[in-house]
Amino acid sequence: IPGSETVTAQPVAGDDLVLTLDRSIQYSTEQVLLEQVAAIGAKGATAIAMDTDTGEIYSMASVRRDDETGAYGVTSGNFAAVDAYEPGSVAKVITIASSLSEGLVTPETSYVVPWRKQYYDDLLKDSHQHPDEVMSVAQILTESSNIGTIFVQQEMGRERHREYMAAFGLGSKTALDFPGESSGILKEAKDLWGSERVTVAYGQGVSSTSLQLVAAVNTIANRGTYVAPKLVKATVGPDGSVVETTPSEARSVVTEQAAVQTTEMMRNVVCYGTATRAQVDGLSIAGKTGTAFKAADNGTYFDDDGNRIYYSSFVGFFPAENPQVTVLVSVDEPPAGTNDRFGGTAAAPVFAELAPTLIHELGIVPT
């Protein structure tokens, strides 16, 4: 205020932060996301790349379309940590790995799987019509069968399945403690209603942030051990002293055998399943697609024009034999009614575009 007294407080030196982010990887992640959402006309997208062993985050990017101008840009909001959506079929990895760990199924365990089946008040379906088919657990994951995954979940029971989802990190904030981070939604087994009791097996009736989901699937890459995401590598004091932060917390979730078996199934997903567009020449990749419906403000999965609203993802890690980095790509509202609405078409190509940068910057040698 002109003419008033001025009080000046001298600055106090604080700590600098050394982040785990890699500047080149972060830039590349933003660019490939911007290119893809603009190419297909999606609302936005997020992507996270994390170190398999340590949980250190190499990149975490969010891009969105400006509704007024139609232009796409990198957001100031970290939607990968604060927004939660139903993960869709990516969650099948958790269901199947958990049943393998419990010894209830093997990759060769088979079921006669119809393309649709009545559960409570809903007629649930696979993504495409097919005759009643004998499918092994490995085929169920490779072909992403909803009904087959329900059969696997029912071997465990709802209560045990819910315990495993929580152990994989769903339903609670990560140790990152990012401001505004969402816990997602993971109901108690007794609170699930109607077909929700079985749809959680394939990622509907549960929601997670991208941050939760990449850490969950990284558990498989890390031989069954969950490692918490980490963003701060060290602090630098006013005197220049560097203090390393403590390692990320880790816990065993599934057996190493179950993780290795699930990894092999996820390799099949990329080799000849729903994620062939994630392939990178000379690199062995394990991954899983997810194509989920997104809830609208009207409380349904349809917009005001009666169109489905989609949220499509792909998560993968490599090299599959000795994973070093796990990547999740999620595309928000890819255009309905086009072939670009699926996880294998909207999200998997982003992974394939980003992989060479990760290989170069991290010095990864393909096995």
Side-chain angles (χ1 to χ4, degrees), residues 48-63:
I48 303 174
M50 70 182 289
D51 183 281
T52 300
D53 295 327
T54 67
E56 293 183 358
I57 296 172
Y58 294 126
S59 66
M60 182 157 50
S62 304
V63 303

Side-chain angles (χ1 to χ4, degrees), residues 125-254:
K125 304 175 182 177
D126 279 350
S127 62
H128 62 282
Q129 186 172 345
H130 60 78
D132 289 1
E133 182 179 351
V134 176
M135 298 179 71
S136 67
V137 170
Q139 288 175 296
I140 286 168
L141 188 63
T142 301
E143 299 179 25
S144 202
S145 168
N146 295 336
I147 306 301
T149 306
I150 291 172
F151 290 165
V152 175
Q153 182 225 24
Q154 289 178 324
E155 298 279 7
M156 251 188 313
R158 295 197 302 274
E159 292 79 8
R160 191 73 181 116
H161 181 233
R162 199 269 178 198
E163 290 173 5
Y164 268 106
M165 287 198 290
F168 271 93
L170 302 188
S172 58
K173 296 179 182 178
T174 70
L176 202 62
D177 196 27
F178 192 86
E181 183 179 345
S182 171
S183 299
I185 298 172
L186 179 62
K187 295 180 181 180
E188 295 291 341
K190 63 182 176 58
D191 296 327
L192 295 171
W193 188 253
S195 62
E196 268 187 342
R197 296 166 180 168
V198 293
T199 62
V200 290
Y202 56 83
Q204 286 185 228
V206 57
S207 72
S208 71
T209 64
S210 295
L211 190 60
Q212 287 173 319
L213 195 58
V214 72
V217 177
N218 186 66
T219 301
I220 303 302
N222 200 30
R223 296 294 192 267
T225 299
Y226 174 93
V227 57
K230 183 178 181 179
L231 192 57
V232 179
K233 194 177 186 73
T235 58
V236 183
D239 60 354
S241 60
V242 178
V243 179
E244 297 284 338
T245 55
T246 57
S248 295
E249 64 164 302
R251 61 176 179 266
S252 178
V253 179
V254 297

Side-chain angles (χ1 to χ4, degrees), residues 33 37 44-48 210 213 311-314 328-332 347:
L33 282 180
V37 294
T46 63
I48 303 174
S210 295
L213 195 58
Y311 189 79
S312 302
S313 305
F314 173 79
L328 171 69
V329 180
S330 299
V331 179
D332 189 10

Side-chain angles (χ1 to χ4, degrees), residues 20-22 25-26 29 47-50 57-61 354 358:
T20 61
L21 294 176
D22 180 285
I25 296 173
Q26 177 72 20
T29 303
I48 303 174
M50 70 182 289
I57 296 172
Y58 294 126
S59 66
M60 182 157 50
L354 184 59
L358 292 165

